[in-house]
């Protein structure tokens, strides 16, 4: 039997096994050789890389979902939804078509701020290849490709409020101007589609697109937009058998159309020369959606610090992203420099001052509770001398009248204990050197340290003081604003000064047209926390925006979250602003409504979508999503088809817009409630019946 012989090891192997030092030397040589083959060092991962990957992932996911949405059959979503939730109700247009409703009155859409598309007609070299491409609306691709160039072209001249030299950006025309804000994100598209279901088409629908960045009068000066709206309404009425038009403004478009109604009847050259009966001849109804009639506190935060609640929270979570990563330099400063040239933003500064919005120690919404369940749990009933019951709320008193407060302690302190140093005549101090703050130069840099400190030391600002504050921190912007807008309450509307166009968009300083057969609706969402007041702090950034919302300020019992006090509304417009004029200022024959135009409030209680397949929901009360609310769309179609406010059922109120009528209630009680109590007038869930609506006087 043969023996298996083991192979002898080679000499090298023996040497290696016998001498471990040689092995270590070989390993060092191998490592050195590998380093020589890869001379480049591995690049460290930065925050910019993470943000780019995140944006890319979001875009790819969005495009993929959009592809699936367009690729699958249109009936697939409905099939899946019905399988989960049961049969889906017909859209309003289909439902009303079955009832026999058809086209009657032509309709005019008036979009609000930011929802209308803007395209480039002339630009600088950095914008080559973008002729008639959308700079606003659509995909916003240019924001990421060339952000500084985009800011340059979206900004207006800081002196004139018109086009900068060599730049022409103009509104997109037609229904496509504001049907979708971005791919898949509807604005007017759902309403247009439902109107089409009962027979409407482009010949009896008109999108009154305008450059929403300009002041209202400047849209006529530069583009003759007001004249175009007048001509189109006249043409639509003439070609539809003389049937008057139904006007449907949204958001800032509500203020824009208020301005139009005064402009069209005013004599030329300031006005359109239509005569005092133009509106009576051409308009059946104005159905205002989410109208900021008396302004919005959110506009104050945007102008003061280029932020609102969402931006403040995002900056608190990822401060580096907003400060450095989207633009080569400070993002919020670029945005502030751009938006402060948009004169239209000043139209939404709160109007009426302390009389409407409250003072240092009171506000109309003192009794607001962040949830109705908690409000009901805290309400108690008391009997007055007549034996009838009223509801008294024990919710914590909140100073909503202090629109801006510096420090949480200032918000809660009685006004008598707040030591305030007047800022209006303060010396602004030495300015920060322009060279130290890159190329982003805002009016805050011109204020210097002295002016910034003076603003913070004043501690608390009411709506009346906000105007003085903005004049102090943004004098160039407010110099233009003073020429185009006003924020007070008229003492004598017969005074000739109120014939100037600067008063036409303020419902407290102008009158409605003489058109007793016309109707005015206020349609808006309720049930959502809406920004009302802010807690601010000073920042330490030498060249940044010196004021910032203090997101560390929280108090659940007083609706304070992330430095923002909230009240009831549609997340953008508080109920006070959306409903006050139709509930009080214009109700009946008042000095603001001398011909007694009938007004109606139609509120839509917010209900979130039941599942993801519902998208943004058909019962939403959100400021923009309400444009897809089936109940609102049905109300609009019925009026366009010939119905009146009485046919709709009159007022539909879910909020407390008719609640704080303290004069009437206090007469019944014979005493003034304490600051920790507020009086609620009774209301049913479905709203106040017209015959029980309180008699309101301003």
């Amino acid at each position: 039997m043969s023996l298996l012989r083991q192979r002898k090891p080679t000499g090298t192997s023996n040497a290696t096994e016998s001498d471990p030092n040689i092995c270590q030397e070989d390993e060092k040589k191998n490592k050195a050789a590998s380093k020589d083959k890869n001379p480049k060092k591995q690049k460290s991962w930065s925050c910019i890389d993470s943000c780019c990957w995140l944006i890319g992932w979001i875009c790819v996911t969005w495009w993929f979902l959009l592809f699936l949405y367009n690729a699958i059959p249109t009936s697939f979503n409905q099939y899946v939804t019905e399988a989960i939730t049961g049969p889906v109700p017909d859209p309003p247009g289909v439902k009303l078509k079955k009832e026999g409703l058809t086209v009657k009155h032509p309709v005019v859409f008036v979009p609000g701020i930011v929802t209308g598309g803007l395209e480039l007609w002339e630009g600088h070299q950095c914008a080559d290849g973008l002729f008639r491409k959308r700079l606003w609306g659509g995909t916003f691709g240019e924001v990421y490709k060339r952000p500084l160039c985009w800011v340059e072209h979206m900004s207006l001249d800081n002196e004139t409020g018109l086009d900068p030299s060599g730049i022409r950006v103009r509104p997109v025309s037609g229904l496509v101007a504001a049907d979708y804000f971005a791919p898949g994100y509807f604005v007017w598209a759902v309403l247009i589609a439902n109107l089409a279901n009962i027979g409407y088409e482009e010949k009896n629908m008109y999108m009154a697109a305008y450059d929403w960045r300009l002041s209202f009068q400047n849209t006529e000066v530069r583009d003759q937009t007001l004249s175009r709206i007048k001509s189109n309404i006249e043409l639509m009425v003439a070609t539809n058998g003389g049937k008057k038009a139904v006007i449907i403004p949204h958001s800032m478009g509500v203020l824009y159309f208020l301005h139009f109604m005064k402009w069209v009847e005013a004599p030329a050259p300031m006005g359109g020369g239509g005569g005092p009966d133009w509106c009576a001849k051409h308009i059946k109804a104005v159905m205002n959606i989410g109208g900021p009639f008396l302004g919005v506190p959110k506009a104050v935060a945007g102008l003061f610090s280029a932020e609102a609640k969402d931006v403040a929270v995002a900056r608190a979570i990822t401060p580096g992203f907003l400060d450095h990563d989207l633009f080569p330099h400070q993002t919020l400063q670029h945005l502030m420099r751009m938006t402060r040239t948009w004169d239209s933003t000043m139209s939404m500064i709160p109007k009426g001052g302390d009389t409407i919005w409250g003072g240092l120690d009171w506000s109309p919404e003192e009794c607001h509770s962040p949830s109705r369940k908690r409000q009901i749990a805290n309400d108690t009933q008391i009997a007055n001398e007549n034996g009838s019951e009223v509801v008294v709320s024990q919710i914590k008193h909140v100073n909503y009248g202090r629109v801006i407060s510096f420090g949480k302690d200032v918000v809660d302190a009685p006004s008598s204990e707040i030591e305030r140093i007047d800022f209006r005549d303060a010396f602004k101090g030495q300015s920060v050197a322009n060279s130290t703050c890159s190329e982003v130069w805002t009016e805050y840099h011109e204020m210097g340290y002295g002016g910034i400190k003076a603003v913070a030391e004043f501690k608390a600002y009411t709506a009346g003081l906000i105007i003085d504050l903005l004049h102090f921190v943004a004098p160039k912007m407010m110099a233009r604003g003073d020429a185009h807008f006003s924020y007070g309450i008229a003492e004598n509307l017969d005074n000739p000064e109120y014939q100037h166009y600067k008063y036409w968009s303020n419902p407290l300083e102008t009158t409605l047209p003489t058109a007793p057969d016309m109707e005015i609706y206020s349609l808006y969402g309720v049930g959502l926390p809406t920004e009302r007041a802010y807690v601010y702090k000073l920042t330490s950034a030498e060249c940044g925006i010196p004021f910032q919302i203090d997101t560390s300020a929280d108090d659940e019992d007083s609706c304070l979250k992330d430095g923002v006090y909230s009240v009831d509304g549609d997340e953008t417009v508080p109920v006070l602003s959306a409903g006050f004029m139709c509930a009080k200022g214009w109700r009946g024959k008042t000095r603001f409504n001398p011909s007694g135009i009938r007004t109606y409030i139609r509120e839509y209680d917010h209900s979130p979508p039941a599942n993801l397949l519902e998208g943004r929901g058909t019962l939403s009360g959100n400021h923009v999503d309400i444009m897809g609310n089936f109940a609102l769309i049905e109300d609009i179609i019925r009026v366009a088809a010939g119905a009146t406010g009485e046919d709709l059922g009159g007022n539909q109120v879910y909020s407390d817009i008719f609640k704080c009528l303290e004069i009437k209630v206090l007469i019944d009680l014979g005493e003034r409630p304490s600051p920790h109590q507020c009086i609620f007038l009774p209301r049913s869930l479905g709203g106040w019946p017209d015959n029980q609506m309180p008699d309101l006087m301003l």
Side-chain angles (χ1 to χ4, degrees):
M1 186 174 182
S2 61
L3 299 175
L4 297 175
R5 293 182 297 174
Q6 189 175 7
R7 180 179 295 181
K8 293 182 179 181
T10 61
T12 305
S13 299
N14 291 336
T16 302
E17 292 175 0
S18 61
D19 191 354
N21 294 328
I22 296 176
C23 180
Q24 293 177 0
E25 291 177 0
D26 289 342
E27 289 178 359
K28 291 179 180 179
K29 290 178 181 179
N30 291 336
K31 290 181 180 179
S34 64
K35 289 181 179 179
D36 293 338
K37 292 179 182 178
N38 301 290
K40 295 182 179 180
K41 294 182 179 180
Q42 186 177 3
K43 184 181 177 182
S44 59
W45 193 262
S46 69
C47 180
I48 297 178
D49 297 318
S50 301
C51 293
C52 290
W53 274 101
L54 177 61
I55 293 172
W57 181 84
I58 292 173
C59 291
V60 170
T61 304
W62 176 261
W63 289 329
F64 177 70
L65 293 175
L66 191 62
F67 168 77
L68 290 180
Y69 178 81
N70 292 318
I72 61 178
T74 55
S75 60
F76 180 76
N77 287 343
Q78 183 177 353
Y79 173 78
V80 175
T81 303
E82 289 182 358
I84 297 174
T85 63
V88 177
D90 288 333
V94 175
K95 171 188 173 183
L96 298 179
K97 181 180 180 180
K98 292 178 180 178
E99 293 183 13
L101 271 66
T102 58
V103 176
K104 186 172 183 180
H105 297 276
V107 296
V108 177
F109 310 116
V110 186
I113 193 170
V114 312
T115 54
L118 300 175
E119 59 188 18
L120 182 69
W121 281 80
E122 180 184 3
H124 295 162
Q125 185 176 359
C126 66
D128 286 347
L130 296 180
F131 176 68
R132 292 203 66 196
K133 298 290 180 63
R134 289 201 182 196
L135 293 187
W136 189 270
T139 60
F140 287 92
E142 299 309 316
V143 179
Y144 301 104
K145 292 179 184 177
R146 31 191 157 183
L148 293 180
C149 182
W150 178 81
V151 167
E152 179 184 3
H153 286 74
M154 282 297 297
S155 299
L156 296 170
D157 186 272
N158 205 27
E159 301 293 333
T160 66
L162 296 169
D163 293 323
S165 177
I167 294 177
R168 282 187 295 151
V169 175
R170 297 293 181 264
V172 178
S173 60
L175 295 178
V176 296
D179 55 351
Y180 287 93
F181 177 66
Y185 190 88
F186 70 83
V187 184
W188 293 92
V190 177
L191 177 57
I192 292 171
N194 279 275
L195 283 165
N197 284 330
I198 67 167
Y200 277 89
E201 49 189 285
E202 200 152 9
K203 69 181 181 182
N204 40 37
M205 289 192 292
Y206 167 58
M207 183 71 72
Y210 60 99
D211 190 337
W212 44 261
R213 301 172 302 160
L214 300 175
S215 69
F216 301 157
Q217 192 71 5
N218 273 346
T219 63
E220 175 66 14
V221 172
R222 195 193 72 178
D223 300 333
Q224 295 75 55
T225 304
L226 298 173
S227 294
R228 294 172 188 272
I229 295 174
K230 175 178 180 285
S231 298
N232 276 283
I233 292 176
E234 291 172 345
L235 176 63
M236 294 175 75
V237 171
T239 56
N240 282 271
K243 296 181 178 66
K244 300 177 186 179
V246 172
I247 315 299
I248 312 170
H250 173 243
S251 190
M252 191 186 75
V254 170
L255 303 179
Y256 187 64
F257 197 75
L258 275 178
H259 181 96
F260 170 83
M261 286 194 292
K262 294 299 292 186
W263 173 89
V264 74
E265 294 189 344
M270 186 183 296
D277 59 349
W278 191 94
C279 291
K281 290 180 177 178
H282 295 89
I283 300 176
K284 174 192 186 295
V286 183
M287 306 193 74
N288 303 291
I289 304 175
F293 290 101
L294 302 179
V296 288
K298 198 171 186 176
V300 175
L303 294 171
F304 186 58
S305 61
E307 60 182 341
K309 181 177 181 178
D310 296 339
V311 174
V313 172
R315 184 164 65 175
I317 296 173
T318 56
F321 175 72
L322 283 176
D323 291 339
H324 301 289
D325 291 342
L326 182 57
F327 294 98
H329 299 285
Q330 300 90 343
T331 301
L332 289 180
Q333 289 189 69
H334 279 288
L335 294 178
M336 172 176 282
R337 187 181 64 175
M338 176 178 69
T339 56
R340 280 191 176 180
T341 66
W342 297 349
D343 289 353
S344 61
T345 57
M346 288 179 279
S347 71
M348 293 185 290
I349 294 173
K351 303 173 178 67
D354 296 1
T355 302
I356 298 295
W357 295 92
L360 289 175
D361 293 316
W362 75 276
S363 67
E365 308 100 332
E366 286 178 349
C367 322
H368 170 70
S369 174
S371 72
R372 289 183 184 154
K373 290 182 179 178
R374 211 173 83 202
Q375 177 173 306
I376 294 172
N378 284 277
D379 289 347
T380 58
Q381 291 186 341
I382 62 173
N384 61 15
E385 294 178 357
N386 298 327
S388 59
E389 291 186 340
V390 294
V391 182
V392 179
S393 175
Q394 303 292 339
I395 298 168
K396 181 179 178 180
H397 173 75
V398 180
N399 296 317
Y400 290 118
R402 304 176 190 183
V403 180
I404 287 179
S405 302
F406 279 89
K408 178 65 169 59
D409 55 331
V410 174
V411 175
D412 297 328
S415 59
S416 59
E417 298 179 6
I418 301 176
E419 296 182 4
R420 305 162 77 193
I421 302 175
D422 200 337
F423 68 95
R424 283 165 282 205
D425 296 324
F427 177 66
K428 291 191 175 183
Q430 185 177 0
S431 299
V432 179
N434 191 4
S435 59
T436 65
C437 297
S438 183
E439 77 281 3
V440 189
W441 186 252
T442 69
E443 292 184 80
Y444 278 129
H445 301 147
E446 299 174 6
M447 286 177 57
Y449 306 113
I452 292 169
K453 183 180 179 182
V455 170
E457 287 180 343
F458 195 70
K459 304 293 179 63
Y461 296 84
T462 62
L465 292 167
I466 287 296
I467 309 301
D468 292 337
L469 172 64
L470 292 176
H471 272 100
F472 188 77
V473 302
K476 291 180 181 178
M477 177 189 76
M478 292 302 291
R480 300 192 315 272
D482 287 344
H484 291 276
F485 303 105
S486 181
Y487 312 101
I489 301 177
E491 295 182 3
N492 179 13
L493 286 167
D494 295 328
N495 191 320
E497 72 171 306
Y498 292 112
Q499 301 304 313
H500 192 273
Y501 60 76
K502 67 182 287 185
Y503 301 102
W504 291 347
S505 61
N506 182 356
L508 299 174
E509 293 183 306
T510 191
T511 59
L512 291 176
T514 304
D517 294 331
M518 193 172 79
E519 295 180 329
I520 293 183
Y521 297 79
S522 187
L523 318 173
Y524 55 91
V526 296
L528 289 166
T530 304
E531 297 175 38
R532 177 62 167 86
Y534 303 88
V535 180
Y536 269 87
K537 65 179 180 180
L538 278 173
T539 62
S540 58
E542 180 180 359
C543 294
I545 298 172
F547 309 114
Q548 180 178 333
I549 294 175
D550 186 0
T551 54
S552 65
D554 286 291
D555 186 354
E556 184 180 355
D557 293 334
S558 61
C559 313
L560 175 63
K561 183 175 176 60
D562 298 320
V564 179
Y565 279 101
S566 298
V567 292
D568 194 11
D570 66 2
E571 282 191 322
T572 298
V573 183
V575 166
L576 176 65
S577 181
F580 179 87
M581 292 310 298
C582 282
K584 186 172 185 178
W586 290 333
R587 186 167 181 80
K589 283 192 176 184
T590 69
R591 62 193 185 106
F592 303 115
N593 181 15
S595 64
I597 294 174
R598 286 166 295 178
T599 62
Y600 299 95
I601 290 179
R602 303 285 293 176
E603 294 183 344
Y604 305 90
D605 203 8
H606 174 75
S607 181
N611 54 68
L612 292 176
L613 295 175
E614 283 192 23
R616 289 152 63 190
T618 60
L619 297 173
S620 177
N622 175 273
H623 186 65
V624 178
D625 295 351
I626 197 173
M627 303 290 279
N629 185 299
F630 277 12
L632 176 139
I633 294 173
E634 182 174 335
D635 285 347
I636 291 175
I637 294 178
R638 288 189 183 278
V639 172
T644 66
E646 295 298 326
D647 297 330
L648 298 183
N651 296 282
Q652 174 180 278
V653 181
Y654 296 96
S655 73
D656 295 319
I657 187 63
F658 292 110
K659 171 198 65 181
C660 290
L661 309 172
E662 293 183 291
I663 295 177
K664 177 175 172 34
V665 177
L666 292 176
I667 290 174
D668 292 340
L669 291 179
E671 60 181 9
R672 182 174 181 81
S674 71
H676 298 284
Q677 295 179 336
C678 186
I679 305 303
F680 286 71
L681 290 176
R683 66 179 176 87
S684 62
L685 182 61
W688 287 83
D690 282 343
N691 59 355
Q692 297 180 20
M693 195 92 53
D695 183 19
L696 304 174
M697 298 174 59
L698 184 60

